[in-house]
Amino acid sequence: MNYKAIVPAPISEAIGRFGLNRDLLVRLVTAIHADVPRDYDGSRRFRIRDFDRAYRYRIVLFDEHLRHVFRLAVDDTTAEGQLIVLGIRHETRPHHPPQA
């Protein structure tokens, strides 16, 4: 089956409030729409405790100085073939790329 990631307006608004630069924002949106469906078969087993309707999915992106971790709650039960992002959290940690 071809799965499709759905990002409702409140989630898009939350992503906008993260204050990401354009490059990181494009990479996040691309990961949501490409990686979430691609990884569904391997990820759906990570159910959210006490909320069987959704599973956990993590996206990690790096920029020059930070590691950005995005934790998503994805509903795979409401509509067949649709992976609806119900929630997203953003955390950062320092990242020091190797020196050349």
Side-chain angles (χ1 to χ4, degrees):
M1 170 173 291
N2 289 329
Y3 296 99
K4 179 179 180 179
I6 306 295
V7 181
I11 302 302
S12 292
E13 292 164 6
I15 291 169
R17 288 190 298 272
F18 291 156
L20 306 174
N21 65 43
R22 180 168 171 71
D23 175 65
L24 201 57
L25 179 62
V26 168
R27 289 168 46 209
L28 174 60
V29 171
T30 299
I32 291 171
H33 287 283
D35 299 352
V36 170
R38 180 199 66 207
D39 297 341
Y40 175 65
D41 288 332
S43 299
R44 66 183 176 182
R45 64 187 168 147
F46 300 109
R47 307 311 292 182
I48 296 175
R49 187 179 311 146
D50 299 326
F51 191 65
D52 254 5
R53 195 174 127 206
Y55 67 94
R56 297 181 313 268
Y57 189 83
R58 186 175 77 158
I59 298 169
V60 179
L61 300 173
F62 296 90
D63 65 16
E64 189 174 321
H65 301 288
L66 294 173
R67 179 178 104 168
H68 297 264
V69 179
F70 302 92
R71 298 179 194 281
L72 288 69
V74 181
D75 173 358
D76 62 345
T77 64
T78 298
E80 187 173 348
Q82 294 187 354
L83 305 174
I84 304 168
V85 180
L86 298 177
I88 186 167
R89 288 185 4 215
H90 174 229
E91 301 169 4
T92 59
R93 297 213 168 109
H95 167 65
H96 306 287
Q99 303 271 329

